[in-house]
Amino acid sequence: MKRIILSYIFFLAVVSAQVDTTIVYLGSIDSSIVMDVKYATTNNFVGKVLYPTDKVYMRKIVAEKLSEANRYLRESYNLSIKIFDGYRPLSVQKLMWEILPDPRYVADPSKGSRHNRGAAVDITLIDENGNQIEMGTPYDDFTEKAHYDYEELSDDVKANRKLLRDVMIKFGFEPLETEWWHFDFKGWEKFSILDYQIN
Ligand SMILES: [Zn+2]
């Protein structure tokens, strides 16, 4: 009997530890986050339209945490999040790799990007008028200037990058040293690589 009770408790613990891993449209969780999806336009580093939609998708838990970070930024700093990319279909990763097969800039699709797991976001901060605050480089600038700790930046830019990083860490994300805009959701490895069709 004791063994049955113990295994039942174990079963409950496993069930309650599971998070909702469905892929959701970010706008269904937080419609106040501005989406600016360069990969749905030709204005990106490959110069081609890669996405059939300019809507951003990601795992539900990731969207919820991003929304919490957004609310905190608005209430504490009068700033909010603008997002460039979230979930990226594996087919798009393969296309990017065909165009630019260089692991310094594009994740090898055989390994997959954390974006392919719906567990990474590319973001910046905007003020109350919707203007991006200064981060030192545009999104997808693949030079050293985009490295978080690049020295030759103004104090304002350094402070802006630090604010974005600190808030994202506070809400469960991990930064990437080479791209100030990229954050992985902590525990990303628990989410599988998907070729979910976005539209
Ligand atoms: Zn990214």
Side-chain angles (χ1 to χ4, degrees):
M1 188 61 190
K2 198 174 171 192
R3 184 178 292 175
I4 292 168
I5 291 168
L6 277 177
S7 47
Y8 183 64
I9 290 169
F10 178 72
F11 168 77
L12 283 181
V14 168
V15 168
S16 62
Q18 280 177 344
V19 292
D20 186 343
T21 61
T22 48
I23 296 268
V24 296
Y25 167 48
L26 176 60
S28 71
I29 302 292
D30 189 336
S31 59
S32 71
I33 296 178
V34 173
M35 298 177 206
D36 183 7
V37 181
K38 309 291 190 196
Y39 298 150
T41 73
T42 55
N43 179 24
N44 59 56
F45 76 100
V46 293
K48 289 187 173 160
V49 175
L50 297 167
Y51 287 3
T53 176
D54 57 3
K55 290 179 174 172
V56 180
Y57 292 77
M58 65 192 65
R59 303 281 181 172
K60 188 161 184 264
I61 180 72
V62 182
E64 286 168 349
K65 286 294 176 186
L66 193 65
S67 177
E68 283 179 30
N70 190 47
R71 191 181 321 128
Y72 174 78
L73 280 159
R74 201 169 44 229
E75 287 169 2
S76 306
Y77 299 95
N78 210 20
L79 294 169
S80 58
I81 290 172
K82 179 196 252 193
I83 186 160
F84 302 112
D85 198 17
Y87 170 69
R88 180 186 307 152
L90 191 59
S91 55
V92 171
Q93 194 69 38
K94 287 176 181 163
L95 199 62
M96 284 179 170
W97 184 252
E98 272 172 34
I99 296 164
L100 189 60
D102 185 333
R104 284 178 301 170
Y105 308 112
V106 176
D108 183 338
S110 69
K111 297 187 186 104
S113 157
R114 289 159 198 187
H115 285 287
N116 303 140
R117 298 171 188 265
V121 292
D122 294 338
I123 57 172
T124 192
L125 295 175
I126 53 175
D127 64 20
E128 56 196 325
N129 299 315
N131 298 313
Q132 287 178 216
I133 67 167
E134 193 49 61
M135 290 293 186
T137 76
Y139 167 57
D140 269 358
D141 176 307
F142 295 115
T143 68
E144 274 189 21
K145 259 184 115 172
H147 294 192
Y148 175 75
D149 59 359
Y150 187 73
E151 281 292 325
E152 288 154 52
L153 298 167
S154 71
D155 289 346
D156 278 355
V157 168
K158 285 179 182 172
N160 291 345
R161 286 186 182 187
K162 185 173 186 312
L163 173 64
L164 179 61
R165 167 182 286 221
D166 288 351
V167 170
M168 290 302 281
I169 290 171
K170 180 179 170 71
F171 287 92
F173 291 81
E174 294 170 338
L176 187 68
E177 295 309 314
T178 52
E179 299 176 0
W180 59 258
W181 55 82
H182 178 104
F183 295 90
D184 294 312
F185 185 63
K186 214 170 178 184
W188 56 268
E189 61 281 352
K190 286 185 289 209
F191 303 111
S192 57
I193 292 170
L194 288 178
D195 209 8
Y196 176 86
Q197 289 309 307
I198 54 171
N199 51 57

